[in-house]
Amino acid sequence: MNVITIIPPLVQLNAPYPSGAYLTSFFKKEGHDAQWADLSIELFYEIFSRSGLEKLFSLSEKTALSMADKAEKNGDDNTAFNIRRYISQKENWIEWIDFITAVLSGGGAREKEHQFLYSPFAPRGQRMENFLEQLAQDGREPSVDDVRFLCSYALADLADYITAVFDKEFSLIRYAEALTVDERTFAEVEKGLDSPILEHFYKTVLERWGTTVIGGLDPAIFSKTLICISIPFAGTFIPALYTARFLKSQYGQKFFICIGGGFVNTELRELRDASLGKYIDAISYDRGYGSYKALFDNTVLESVETAAESMIANPLYKLRIFKNGKVIEPVWQDEKLEKYETEITAQIIPDYSDIDFSRYLRMCDDKNAMHRIWTDGSWIKAYLAHGCYWHRCAFCDTQLDYVCAYRPVEVRNLYEGLLKTAREKNVYGIHFVDEAMPPVALKKFALENARHGNPLYFWGNIRFEKAFTKDLAAFLSYCGLGGVSAGLEVAAESGLENINKGTDISSIVSACAALKEAGVLVHAYMIFGFWYDTTQTIIDSMETLRQFYSAGLLDSCFWHKFVLTKNSTVYTEWKEGKQKKLQPIELKSDKKGGLFARNNIHFKGENQYDKFQLPLENSLNCWMHGDGLEKKVQKWFDFPVPPPTVGRDFIEKKIEEYEEKNRKRGAGLNDKTAQNLWWLGGTPVLCGLSNSSASEYRWLYLMEEQSVPSKLIDIDILLALRPEVTEEVRVAALNTITASPSVISNLKKLLGRGLVLLDF
C-alpha cells in the first residue's frame, strides 16, 4: 500500500517535525511503500522567495496603503510610516529575500553580507532597526557576524507586515492558533479555511506537490493509498483541514485520509462532529502504531469505500471513523495491539530519508545561548523513551498515552540509526523530544557516542532530580550532551509537593549546579497561577528563581500560566473529592455542535493572577541577560505585592550543601562501586624527572589544571577508563583496580579531578 504522511504548516523553521519520520519508519517496517512531506517548509519558501514576495506585495499593496492612510488620519504616524516603508522598499525586499533565506540556511555569499549590513539600499523594518539600535546602545558597531541576527529579524519584519495587512492569523511558526484553542464549534473553525495565506500561497504548494508526488503514483493503486496528516499543534489544525479538503476535491474518495498528532490526542479526543467527514475518513489517536496496524490487519483496503464500510461494522483500536454522516467510535483497549505497540515503539528509528535538511533555517533571535539552541541548528529529532518515567505531576496530562505510557527504546539500535542519518544528511545535532530523558538511557546513548568518537552533539528534556550528580553531568558532557531543559515549575518546597513533582529544591539545585559546572546549558520551565497559588507563593517562587540566576545555575526560562486540563491528575483528584481548593467551571455549549477543543477547563479564580504575567516576563528577560539581579523582586511590579518570605541566601545554602556532599564522594569508592569509575581528565603529563621524588603528573579537567605525585598514578589504568575505550580494555583495567586496595586508595585522591564515580 502507498502511505503518505504530511506535516502541514506552520511548525518550526529549523527542523522537520519528527512525527513524519516515526510514522514513515513504522509503515516501512510493516511492508508498505511509505514517504512523507514537510509542507510547512514548502509554504515558507512559497511566501519568502522572490516570486512569493512579488505576489504578496501585488495582493496587499492597495490594502496596505489604505491602512496607512487610516492610521495617519487617526494620529498614528509611526504605524503609517512603517506600513508605507514596506511598500516603498518592496523592490529591495524582493531583491534581497533569497539572500536572506540563504544566509539562514547556511548558504549565501559572505561578501554580500557586508552590503546587506551597511548599504542604505538594503531593506529595513522595525525589528531590524531595533536590533541595530541596541548594538549602538551597547557601544559597538555592527559587523558581518551580526548578519544572521539581522536576517532573522528581517523575516520577522516581513511576518509582521503579512499579519498586519494581509492575513491576521499568520505567524512564522503557528497559523490561526487562536481559532482552535478556545471554546468554538467546529462550524466556526471551518470559517478560517478560506484565509488569504492558505488560498493564495498554500494552495499553490498543494497543487505543485500533488502534481509531483501524487501524479507520480500509479493511478491503478490510488484506492490503496493512505494519507496521514499529522497535527502537532493547534496552529496546524486549520492548514491540516485545508490539506484534507484539497485532497478530497482533487482526488475524490481515492484516498483514505486520517489525522492524528499531539493536538488531536489532547484536544480532539471527544470530537464527534459528523461534518468532519467532509474532509477526513478517520482520526487516529495516540502513537498511531496500534490503530494503523488494526486498519491494515482488518481491512485489505482494496478500496477506500470497502475499508470504511468494514470499519462501520467492526470498530477499530483507537480509530474514530467518519462515514456517510455517521461517527463510529474507536475501541480504546486491545491487549494484543497494546503489546504490539510496546514492541514496535522500542524498535523504531525515525526515517528522515525524504528530508533535505539544507532547506531549513538556523534562526538567531536572541543572544541567550540556551534560547538560541532551539532554533539555531537543524536538529535531528528523536526520543529515548515514549512517555514520562515519572508521569505523576498533578498538572500534567497523566491520563494520556503520551505521558503515562512510558516505553523505553533500544538505545544502541537508535544510536546507530541516528548516526547513519547524521552522516547522510550532514547534520550532527540530536534534539531528544522526550517528556523526560531517562538518566539510564541517556547514559547508554552517551557511552555509545563516546565509543563512536563523539560525532553527535545532543540535548533534550530531563527531570531535575538527584540522579544528575556532579559526576554524571561531567560524564554526559564529555560524551556530547550540550543542553537540557526541565520543568522547575515552582521554586518552593511546598509548591513542589502540591504539584507532586517528585523532587525537591535541594535536588534541583544539585542537578543545575552539576550540569552548569560541566558546561551544559540549562533551561527551566516555570508556571504561575496554580489552583492553590497566592500572591505570596508567586513572589516566593520568583525570588527563588532570581537566586538561581544570581548563582549562575540557569541560562534561560519561560514563564507559563497554569492551564487546567481534563486529563490531568489534579482534575481526576478533584472528581474524587481530594482537591478542595480547585473549583472547575464545567463549560456547556448551547451552540449546535458543542465545544470543539475540550481538554482545557476553566476554574474559579484562574484570571486573578493575569496581571503578574508582564512583570514576571520582564524580570526574567533581564535576569537571563545578567541584568537586574540585585533588584528586589517586589520592585518589578507596578501594584503592591508583599516581600518574599524566602531568605536572600536560600539557594546559596543549598549550593553549600551540594558542595559538601561532593567533598565526601571518595567514601563511596570500593571494590564493588569501582565498576562505575570513568576517567574524563586529559592525558597526564609527567613534569620533572621520572626517577625524582618531586616529579608529578599534571592534566586539565573542566578547564582547570590538576596535579598529583607521579607515584600515585598508573597512566595505563586511567586511560583505560575513558568512555571511548572498548569494553574489553575497560574490563581488564577494572579487574586490576578491584584486585588491589592500594590502587583504590590512590584513585580516591583523583575523584573530582578527572576521575568520576557514577551511581549506575
Side-chain angles (χ1 to χ4, degrees), residues 431-486:
H431 178 194
F432 286 116
V433 293
D434 299 60
E435 289 299 305
M437 294 185 288
V440 173
L442 184 56
K443 180 204 166 187
K444 288 180 180 178
F445 187 90
L447 184 57
E448 286 291 335
N449 196 42
R451 288 181 172 169
H452 283 78
N454 268 344
L456 302 181
Y457 179 77
F458 52 95
W459 70 287
N461 205 45
I462 65 167
R463 281 174 47 79
F464 288 139
E465 56 173 292
K466 60 184 179 181
F468 289 96
T469 62
K470 180 184 180 76
D471 286 355
L472 179 60
F475 177 88
L476 294 173
S477 177
Y478 181 96
C479 299
L481 179 69
V484 298
S485 56

Side-chain angles (χ1 to χ4, degrees), residues 280-292:
I280 66 170
D281 298 289
I283 300 177
S284 169
Y285 289 101
D286 301 328
R287 276 164 281 178
Y289 307 144
S291 57
Y292 289 124

Side-chain angles (χ1 to χ4, degrees), residues 242-279:
Y242 189 95
T243 304
R245 185 178 71 174
F246 174 85
L247 293 175
K248 287 289 187 185
S249 68
Q250 294 294 310
Y251 305 102
Q253 296 298 317
K254 292 182 178 181
F255 294 156
F256 188 88
I257 300 177
C258 189
I259 62 172
F263 176 69
V264 171
N265 295 333
T266 56
E267 300 295 332
L268 306 185
R269 297 189 81 84
E270 300 177 28
L271 180 57
R272 298 179 176 87
D273 194 317
S275 60
L276 193 58
K278 294 183 296 183
Y279 307 95

